[in-house]
Amino acid sequence: DIQMTQSPPSLSASAGDRVTIICRASQSISTSLNWFQQKPGKAPKLLIYAASSLQSGVPLRFSGSGSGTDFTLTISSLQPEDFATYYCQQTYSAPFTFGPGTKVDIK
Amino acid sequence: EVQLVESGGGLVQPGGSLRLSCAASGFTFNKYWMTWVRQTPGKGLELVANVQQDGGQKYHVDSVKGRFTISRDNAKNSLYLEMNSLRAEDAGVYYCARLNWYSTVWFNDFWGHGTLVTVSS
């Protein structure tokens, strides 16, 4: 199975900050990488698919990049509604696996 | 509007069984693969099973093979997960999700609200 890691596990930031979350795969997954946002008690919400494609309705402050084994999710200017946990997921090969998550909270 | 509504969760004893259901609306159900994903305290988010549009191809993660079975009824726009021989580590929130595809990449673009499974004596 492909193992996914994320860093940092958590971070504290202020509204307006630029935030970067890193996701690494244990082997090359091309661009088969998706990013999700999850708020407490809610289902995950798709933000980015295929490493860099913005899902419909997701604000432009979210962006994704990377290929192979290293990927990045960037929030250009953190908004109050962005405080949540973020997960990456590889869909290159079965079983599709998720990272452990990065919790973004208020500084 | 795409909607996925899970039901069937609850409290079950170890070794017991449950059948989860997911009612889909707002899209042409029989044109999409569908997925069950669970979120457990021990493993976080974990894909449990996928099923092809016509139910012909199915994938189950190793940890549930032989115990869980994914199925669908396209006439009823419904997805199911039959869970047998439940263990404590199966406890968590189970989500139904649509599986979409773009330029060789798969992604779960719509998710239900989840249904809670508790395994305890």
Side-chain angles (χ1 to χ4, degrees):
Chain A
D1 297 2
I2 297 175
Q3 308 302 316
M4 307 301 293
T5 58
Q6 289 182 234
S7 59
S10 64
L11 64 90
S12 295
S14 301
D17 285 352
R18 182 181 181 89
V19 168
T20 298
I21 298 169
I22 293 170
C23 175
R24 288 198 167 95
S26 60
Q27 66 185 73
S28 178
I29 58 171
S30 185
T31 56
S32 298
L33 191 284
N34 308 314
W35 288 99
F36 297 88
Q37 176 193 67
Q38 188 178 34
K39 296 181 180 178
K42 300 293 187 182
K45 173 188 173 184
L46 179 68
L47 299 176
I48 303 283
Y49 61 93
S52 60
S53 294
L54 194 67
Q55 171 68 348
S56 176
V58 174
L60 293 174
R61 62 182 179 273
F62 290 93
S63 64
S65 65
S67 67
T69 60
D70 295 340
F71 301 87
T72 299
L73 174 70
T74 300
I75 309 172
S76 60
S77 177
L78 199 66
Q79 298 301 301
E81 59 268 30
D82 300 336
F83 292 98
T85 300
Y86 293 84
Y87 296 92
C88 61
Q89 180 205 29
Q90 68 82 19
T91 57
Y92 182 78
S93 69
F96 298 162
T97 45
F98 292 85
T102 295
K103 185 176 181 181
V104 177
D105 62 20
I106 301 172
K107 183 184 287 183
Chain B
E1 178 194 4
V2 172
Q3 286 200 354
L4 298 166
V5 180
E6 302 94 336
S7 60
L11 172 64
V12 62
Q13 292 186 342
S17 299
L18 275 178
R19 188 194 198 209
L20 306 184
S21 299
C22 171
S25 62
F27 66 102
T28 306
F29 182 69
N30 62 14
K31 291 193 181 300
Y32 291 88
W33 282 72
M34 294 296 295
T35 299
W36 285 101
V37 176
R38 67 184 177 184
Q39 189 163 28
T40 64
K43 286 192 167 184
L45 286 167
E46 180 183 31
L47 181 141
V48 176
N50 288 331
V51 62
Q52 193 181 23
Q53 290 94 328
D54 64 359
Q57 279 191 50
K58 301 178 183 182
Y59 169 85
H60 298 82
V61 71
D62 283 350
S63 58
V64 309
K65 276 181 185 173
R67 301 188 299 124
F68 292 11
T69 303
I70 190 171
S71 63
R72 64 192 295 163
D73 185 336
N74 287 341
K76 295 182 177 179
N77 287 345
S78 292
L79 178 71
Y80 305 102
L81 186 67
E82 190 76 39
M83 304 189 296
N84 298 315
S85 303
L86 280 158
R87 305 168 180 167
E89 56 265 34
D90 295 320
V93 178
Y94 283 70
Y95 297 101
C96 160
R98 189 175 82 169
L99 190 59
N100 209 338
W101 180 89
Y102 170 79
S103 186
T104 78
V105 178
W106 294 95
F107 52 96
N108 293 112
D109 57 352
F110 288 94
W111 297 59
H113 56 84
T115 186
L116 178 64
V117 172
T118 304
V119 183
S120 175
S121 53

